Amino acid sequence: MLQMDTMQHIEVIGIGAGNPDHLTLQAVEALRRSDVVVALDKGDTKADLLNARREIVDKHAPGTPIVAVTDPERDRNPADYKAEVERWHQERAQLLLDALPAEGTAAFLVWGDPSLYDSTLRIIERMRGLGLNATVTVTPGITAVQALTAAHGILINRIGEDIRITTGRALVDGPMTNAVVMLDGGAAWMHAPDAEIWWGAYLGTDKQVLRHGLVSEIGIDLAQEKAALREKHGWIMDIYLLRK
Ligand SMILES: C[S@@+](CC[C@H](N)C(=O)[O-])C[C@H]1O[C@@H](n2cnc3c(N)ncnc32)[C@H](O)[C@@H]1O
């Protein structure tokens, strides 16, 4: 259990988006100076993601213990949605706080980069509210955005154009010249029938799949392929660039 007067250190390390070789040299150094890795285990469907973290530790800092913290249960249909999310975040922060060693350095391995659609830095702020007294260092990582563009060998923008990074849910409402879409549970590209799409799933892993074409031509087929891949592997992570 945490001692209020003990100084701890947390390394928040961006580990890249799927390939263990995405780690920067800086990330490897940060991992090697950590005494323990604390990983949030999000259950069976994300088992591959926990395994990816194990692979990274085995490869770059063998012998470093991994403490897997099971993500607390969440009510998906609560009467008060905001209150339930607040309760869930608080419980998650407390579990992670309890898992930290009383002293020394703990590493949180963050998928991609900690700045992009990730809650680790927010959770650490919550942990401070619960009594954490730690210094924190953040090491950047290769994002899924970069994994996508490199896999297709493309730029996100044509010369001088702006770029939007958004979620499947928010895509519908906003402007779009070049939109990189993440966290799409479905096939939000169907809302942009006149766009070109560069799509990638399981980027950087041995399951990687890439597709490119006009939404009007491949959109429906891609939606079916995504559903089939999710069925086959039990989970999917995909990202895409839409350009008008
Ligand atoms: C919670 S966000 C985390 C993003 C991460 N922090 C980053 O920097 O890429 C998860 C989303 O990232 C995208 N993503 C992450 N890794 C991916 C991969 N290997 N292949 C395809 N999409 C990926 C998907 O859109 C997924 O829904």
Side-chain angles (χ1 to χ4, degrees):
M1 206 43 188
L2 181 76
Q3 303 292 308
M4 286 289 289
D5 55 353
T6 307
M7 202 58 181
Q8 299 161 304
H9 183 66
I10 296 177
E11 295 281 352
V12 177
I13 305 172
I15 57 168
N19 186 324
D21 289 342
H22 280 176
L23 260 81
T24 64
L25 297 178
Q26 194 186 359
V28 171
E29 276 172 23
L31 182 56
R32 288 196 179 145
R33 58 175 180 259
S34 300
D35 302 303
V36 62
V37 169
V38 179
L40 201 57
D41 180 358
K42 297 187 176 175
D44 290 347
T45 52
K46 296 279 172 70
D48 284 0
L49 305 188
L50 187 58
N51 286 340
R53 288 180 169 82
R54 283 191 206 288
E55 205 182 310
I56 282 168
V57 173
D58 287 349
K59 181 166 183 178
H60 298 294
T64 309
I66 302 178
V67 178
V69 175
T70 305
D71 211 15
E73 291 287 324
R74 174 181 172 187
D75 183 352
R76 296 273 166 191
N77 296 303
D80 184 340
Y81 179 81
K82 265 185 133 175
E84 171 57 10
V85 170
E86 172 67 21
R87 183 208 61 76
W88 180 57
H89 283 170
Q90 202 68 4
E91 189 181 344
R92 188 188 244 185
Q94 186 65 56
L95 285 173
L96 287 168
L97 186 58
D98 292 344
L100 285 188
E103 56 186 24
T105 298
F108 287 1
L109 305 189
V110 175
W111 201 259
D113 183 81
S115 70
L116 188 64
Y117 293 120
D118 185 84
S119 52
T120 306
L121 293 175
R122 263 194 300 264
I123 291 176
I124 289 173
E125 278 317 301
R126 262 180 199 273
M127 289 161 72
R128 287 195 197 286
L130 293 167
L132 175 70
N133 179 21
T135 49
V136 177
T137 304
V138 179
T139 303
I142 291 175
T143 70
V145 181
Q146 294 152 298
L148 175 75
T149 52
H152 280 283
I154 54 167
L155 285 86
I156 305 180
N157 60 294
R158 287 165 296 203
I159 295 172
E161 287 178 347
D162 60 352
I163 294 166
R164 179 174 173 223
I165 299 181
T166 189
T167 64
R169 194 175 299 177
L171 174 71
V172 191
D173 306 324
M176 201 196 71
T177 307
N178 301 289
V180 178
V181 184
M182 309 175 72
L183 292 161
D184 180 3
W189 56 82
M190 295 306 288
H191 293 288
D194 51 346
E196 190 171 356
I197 183 169
W198 288 261
W199 182 85
Y202 314 103
L203 291 162
T205 75
D206 54 7
K207 300 182 177 74
Q208 175 173 302
V209 185
L210 300 177
R211 293 288 301 269
H212 170 225
L214 296 173
V215 172
S216 57
E217 289 175 5
I218 69 165
I220 293 174
D221 184 55
L222 187 53
Q224 287 166 351
E225 182 171 3
K226 178 171 173 176
L229 285 167
R230 180 186 274 131
E231 178 76 20
K232 181 176 169 194
H233 298 301
W235 62 279
I236 189 164
M237 276 206 301
D238 67 325
I239 179 170
Y240 49 94
L241 168 65
L242 286 173
R243 178 180 292 159
K244 279 189 180 170

